[in-house]
């Protein structure tokens, strides 16, 4: 069983829809939770970062972390065609009390927002 | 600051040949990571440097793989005696004092 499981999708939604992307994990040591967006033939780009449990909002994006359930989510409001990409969750345990160290990624969810 | 630069962007090589990739991180970043990504999967951790010290290596990094970061600046990843299973996107990322990485656009390796 993988440490991080991500809903594989793909997802296809109409423009303006609310999108929900989810990951579950098994490693209790994970404290740092991130969402990355990856366009075709590009490297992943950091979208959201959350430390420990809680919610974080940035424009149309909201990240939620529930450590008790080992479950994280990314919500995209008023989705746009330009949001079409692969979304990757990532998480890390940190090292020496810092956020350093490796990240473990989910397999990614392909999202298509059609006009 | 031009971001993380990787070279080459694409590499096609014959099985059994050696290949070397280069990564130039963001200049003020002291941490540098290598990941491998295959189609339909998320990036998998290979190795990580803080300055010139290689602090962690994945079990995925077999004896055929070696990474260096001389002087704590650019890094190279070498794969010896390439196999078809090495075909993947090799991603480099760098990070500074704060959280989160900045990834490069990757080097796509095809072993034929």
């Amino acid at each position: 069983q993988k440490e991080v499981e991500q809903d594989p999708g793909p997802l296809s939604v109409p423009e303006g829809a609310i999108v929900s992307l989810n990951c579950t994990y098994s490693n209790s040591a994970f404290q740092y939770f991130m969402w990355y967006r990856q366009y075709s033939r590009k490297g992943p780009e950091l979208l959201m970062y959350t430390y420990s449990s809680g919610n974080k909002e940035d424009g149309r994006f909201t990240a939620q972390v529930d450590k008790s359930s080992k479950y994280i989510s990314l919500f995209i409001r008023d989705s746009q065609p330009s949001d079409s990409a692969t979304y990757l969750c990532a998480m890390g345990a940190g090292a020496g009390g810092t956020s350093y160290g490796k990240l473990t990624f989910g397999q990614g969810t392909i999202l298509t927002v059609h006009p | 600051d031009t971001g993380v630069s990787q070279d080459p962007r694409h590499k096609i090589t014959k099985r059994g040949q050696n290949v070397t990739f280069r990564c130039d991180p963001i200049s003020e970043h002291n941490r540098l990571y290598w990941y491998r990504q295959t189609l339909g999967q998320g990036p998998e951790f290979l190795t990580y440097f803080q300055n010139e010290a290689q602090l962690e290596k994945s079990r995925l990094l077999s004896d055929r793989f070696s990474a260096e970061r001389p002087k704590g600046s650019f890094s190279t990843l070498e794969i010896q005696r390439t196999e078809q299973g090495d075909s993947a996107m090799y991603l480099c990322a760098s990070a500074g004092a704060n959280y989160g990485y900045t990834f490069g656009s990757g080097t796509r390796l095809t072993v034929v």
Side-chain angles (χ1 to χ4, degrees):
Chain A
Q1 184 181 357
K2 294 184 177 180
E3 278 190 300
V4 178
E5 298 279 358
Q6 184 171 357
D7 290 349
L11 286 178
S12 181
V13 301
E15 184 174 355
I18 296 175
V19 176
S20 172
L21 303 165
N22 309 292
C23 288
T24 58
Y25 63 95
S26 58
N27 188 343
S28 299
F30 287 150
Q31 301 184 74
Y32 302 91
F33 303 92
M34 300 166 202
W35 285 94
Y36 284 82
R37 178 173 62 196
Q38 186 173 27
Y39 293 114
S40 181
R41 299 189 188 89
K42 297 287 188 182
E45 166 194 13
L46 181 64
L47 273 180
M48 299 287 285
Y49 164 84
T50 310
Y51 171 69
S52 194
S53 285
N55 294 356
K56 186 171 185 177
E57 186 173 322
D58 184 2
R60 298 184 295 110
F61 299 89
T62 299
Q64 291 185 349
V65 175
D66 182 349
K67 288 188 70 179
S68 63
S69 301
K70 295 189 178 67
Y71 188 86
I72 72 170
S73 300
L74 178 71
F75 297 95
I76 307 173
R77 291 183 299 281
D78 187 24
S79 56
Q80 303 295 310
S82 59
D83 294 329
S84 298
T86 297
Y87 289 80
L88 297 155
C89 63
M91 45 199 80
T98 72
S99 63
Y100 299 3
K102 69 180 183 182
L103 293 179
T104 301
F105 284 80
Q107 69 183 81
T109 301
I110 298 174
L111 171 67
T112 301
V113 181
H114 50 87
Chain B
D1 179 0
T2 57
V4 177
S5 176
Q6 291 191 246
D7 183 70
R9 290 295 308 275
H10 304 278
K11 178 71 176 179
I12 300 174
T13 190
K14 292 184 178 179
R15 190 173 48 191
Q17 297 294 305
N18 299 343
V19 294
T20 299
F21 311 140
R22 177 181 171 121
C23 172
D24 287 273
I26 293 171
S27 57
E28 62 267 28
H29 284 180
N30 62 350
R31 290 178 285 143
L32 187 148
Y33 302 81
W34 285 98
Y35 282 77
R36 180 171 67 187
Q37 186 176 26
T38 54
L39 197 63
Q41 300 298 316
E44 291 179 297
F45 172 77
L46 292 178
T47 190
Y48 147 52
F49 291 85
Q50 183 162 326
N51 300 313
E52 66 275 11
Q54 189 172 21
L55 296 188
E56 190 173 351
K57 289 172 59 172
S58 165
R59 289 189 305 270
L60 294 174
L61 215 64
S62 75
D63 290 346
R64 297 185 297 106
F65 288 71
S66 62
E68 294 183 343
R69 193 183 182 196
K71 303 178 183 177
S73 55
F74 72 93
S75 176
T76 57
L77 177 68
E78 181 183 18
I79 308 175
Q80 296 182 328
R81 305 180 303 282
T82 52
E83 302 172 356
Q84 287 191 318
D86 296 331
S87 295
M89 175 78 86
Y90 290 84
L91 292 164
C92 175
S94 69
N98 298 318
Y99 55 83
Y101 303 166
T102 300
F103 278 92
S105 291
T107 293
R108 183 171 298 280
L109 173 67
T110 301
V111 181
V112 297

